[in-house]
Amino acid sequence: MSTQAARSILFTHTSPQQGFRLLELSSELAELLSSKEAPTLELKSPSASHLPNSSTDSEHHDYVNLCTPNRTYRIRLVQSSNPIHILQPSDGGAQRGDITMVGADDEMNLVETVTTIAKCGSTLELHTPAEGFSAVSFLGRILAVYDGDEGSEAVGFDLEPSEKDGVIRRIFEDVPVSRAQCEAGWIEICAFVLGRAHKGEDAARCCRRPSARAKLEVWKRVLEGAVLQGIHLDQQFLVSDLWKSVLDDGDEEPFPRALFEAVVKRVCEADGQAQGLVDGDMKWASIDKARCTRWVGETYLEAMAPAQGSAIGRSEFLNAWKDHLPDSWRDEVALPKLTENSYRHPDQTTIYFVNNIDRHKIKKNISTDANTAAAAKKSRNWHELFRNQKRQKN
């Protein structure tokens, strides 16, 4: 029998071991990081002051998200029964006195030495939940509500674009999602910069999110001004012309122009909605009919029937919804046009609004019920199959 001479490689370990965390990257993220213009990644966690008070809320727990410019991943720790060793080959400088060996050959080649410098019993993986990530709930807790009663300080504030950009960036630092998702949430709730943030001051103090009634009041003035000035909202128009149509004959502004522009951005065509977020005043705009119709209906319902105890008649709601739209859009009104789970019927004739938090709970309960029903069905099928097999044997 022929024999082969096997090369021996000395396997050693350092003491103490180094601390390592291994992060498993998705193929998409790995490709992004290896590209020529690899973006800067951020590790973001929610500020403790902006977490919900309830200890039962899932968002109350500490966590860290990994954010690209437009995507968010939840980082979670995964234990492994098979630890991973991180190895380091010898650099050729190892001396026999540096290594303690038991029962080793004195002539063993120390050049071919492999050393484990860390032992990892767990890894970090990136997870994206089925419901995705949104900045809306965080911005809702961070920003105070504007209801049109801010006084004279609420209007006439003119900030440079760079100042607005700085304020909004400081807000987004405490929101644990990507920049693009922060911007989308900012637009969705019609948030705006109300004043100037002084050095060292919390940026949230000079920003607001309007209430449903405040947004509805802005939209009513926009619609009235557009009708009087002959502006077709579903065609391209100058935003400055629409703002002039909103103003009364007097010098006093009915609400901040920043709020007016936030509402216009919210109902504009999706392709251009992110432009002009912090780059200065809007120039041109074109309102998306379907997007605007849905938003007006939900905003009116939230303003007039925010909870089950304040439910209003369904016919009354549909008629009011039509009255808050251009005449040529009235035929677009229908309950299925509203966002799924954004409303409920206490009875056959009334309707009320469901906020984002309750909407998420409803969706979660429906998902849980569906999983339970599927499990029960499988169980019944198994018993039915077992019963049929028993009958065949008899």
Side-chain angles (χ1 to χ4, degrees):
M1 178 182 289
S2 62
T3 60
Q4 293 180 341
R7 296 174 58 191
S8 297
I9 298 178
L10 184 62
F11 182 77
T12 66
H13 71 88
T14 60
S15 182
Q17 295 272 280
Q18 298 182 30
F20 273 84
R21 284 290 188 194
L22 299 180
L23 176 63
E24 182 180 354
L25 300 179
S26 63
S27 57
E28 178 183 352
L29 187 55
E31 183 179 351
L32 180 65
L33 292 177
S34 60
S35 62
K36 293 183 179 180
E37 298 181 357
T40 300
L41 302 185
E42 295 181 285
L43 292 175
K44 303 178 73 174
S45 60
S47 171
S49 60
H50 299 142
L51 286 171
N53 295 325
S54 173
S55 60
T56 60
D57 196 309
S58 60
E59 292 182 346
H60 180 73
H61 303 291
D62 295 333
Y63 60 86
V64 176
N65 289 343
L66 178 68
C67 302
T68 71
N70 56 10
R71 293 201 62 179
T72 303
Y73 301 89
R74 177 68 46 82
I75 299 178
R76 59 185 184 183
L77 185 67
V78 179
Q79 301 292 339
S80 174
S81 58
N82 298 319
I84 300 174
H85 292 270
I86 298 179
L87 305 180
Q88 176 178 306
S90 172
D91 59 1
Q95 303 295 324
R96 188 163 299 280
D98 299 333
I99 302 175
T100 302
M101 296 181 290
V102 178
D105 186 352
D106 292 339
E107 296 182 358
M108 181 172 290
N109 185 4
L110 299 184
V111 175
E112 295 182 343
T113 301
V114 175
T115 303
T116 171
I117 61 174
K119 178 183 177 181
C120 302
S122 61
T123 58
L124 299 174
E125 73 172 14
L126 303 179
H127 170 66
T128 302
E131 64 274 15
F133 294 94
S134 173
V136 171
S137 60
F138 294 98
L139 293 173
R141 286 191 288 268
I142 293 173
L143 304 179
V145 176
Y146 173 86
D147 203 19
D149 54 358
E150 298 283 342
S152 58
E153 296 181 0
V155 295
F157 228 111
D158 187 18
L159 295 181
E160 294 295 328
S162 59
E163 291 183 285
K164 292 181 182 180
D165 179 76
V167 169
I168 296 175
R169 284 184 182 275
R170 286 163 58 186
I171 295 289
F172 290 173
E173 288 175 357
D174 287 335
V175 181
V177 299
S178 70
R179 168 76 185 199
Q181 291 164 325
C182 285
E183 291 184 359
W186 182 272
I187 292 173
E188 182 174 345
I189 65 174
C190 300
F192 65 101
V193 179
L194 181 66
R196 179 176 286 106
H198 299 287
K199 187 175 182 180
E201 185 182 18
D202 183 5
R205 294 187 60 183
C206 61
C207 298
R208 296 290 186 273
R209 58 180 178 91
S211 66
R213 288 185 177 272
K215 289 184 287 188
L216 191 63
E217 181 60 31
V218 173
W219 174 252
K220 287 167 63 176
R221 297 290 292 264
V222 166
L223 184 60
E224 292 171 359
V227 171
L228 291 175
Q229 299 299 323
I231 298 174
H232 298 283
L233 296 176
D234 54 352
Q235 299 176 14
Q236 196 173 55
F237 57 86
L238 276 169
V239 176
S240 58
D241 289 345
L242 187 60
W243 171 244
K244 292 176 183 177
S245 72
V246 167
L247 300 177
D248 289 329
D249 294 335
D251 296 331
E252 186 176 352
E253 298 176 357
F255 37 73
R257 175 161 180 168
L259 172 56
F260 158 80
E261 292 194 357
V263 170
V264 173
K265 283 191 185 79
R266 178 62 180 81
V267 295
C268 275
E269 295 179 352
D271 291 342
Q273 65 172 322
Q275 298 179 2
L277 179 64
V278 293
D279 295 332
D281 295 337
M282 297 178 65
K283 303 299 182 185
W284 294 90
S286 176
I287 292 179
D288 185 297
K289 182 191 298 186
R291 181 184 178 91
C292 182
T293 299
R294 179 172 59 253
W295 178 82
V296 170
E298 293 176 4
T299 302
Y300 181 87
L301 188 60
E302 182 183 5
M304 301 303 171
Q308 182 174 353
S310 57
I312 60 177
R314 183 161 42 179
S315 298
E316 173 192 346
F317 163 65
L318 292 173
N319 289 331
W321 185 4
K322 292 179 181 179
D323 291 341
H324 283 76
L325 295 172
D327 290 339
S328 60
W329 296 10
R330 293 175 66 89
D331 293 339
E332 300 292 323
V333 170
L335 288 180
K337 298 291 182 70
L338 300 178
T339 303
E340 183 181 8
N341 297 324
S342 65
Y343 64 93
R344 301 209 85 176
H345 298 293
D347 51 54
Q348 295 181 349
T349 61
T350 59
I351 188 173
Y352 69 94
F353 182 76
V354 178
N355 59 43
N356 282 323
I357 296 176
D358 292 338
R359 204 177 303 174
H360 179 71
K361 291 178 180 178
I362 292 172
K363 186 180 295 186
K364 189 174 182 180
N365 289 337
I366 291 174
S367 177
T368 302
D369 293 344
N371 293 337
T372 303
K377 183 178 180 181
K378 288 181 180 179
S379 177
R380 288 194 297 270
N381 290 343
W382 167 252
H383 289 300
E384 189 67 30
L385 178 61
F386 181 77
R387 187 181 301 111
N388 291 338
Q389 291 177 345
K390 190 174 181 180
R391 288 173 182 172
Q392 290 175 3
K393 289 182 180 179
N394 292 338

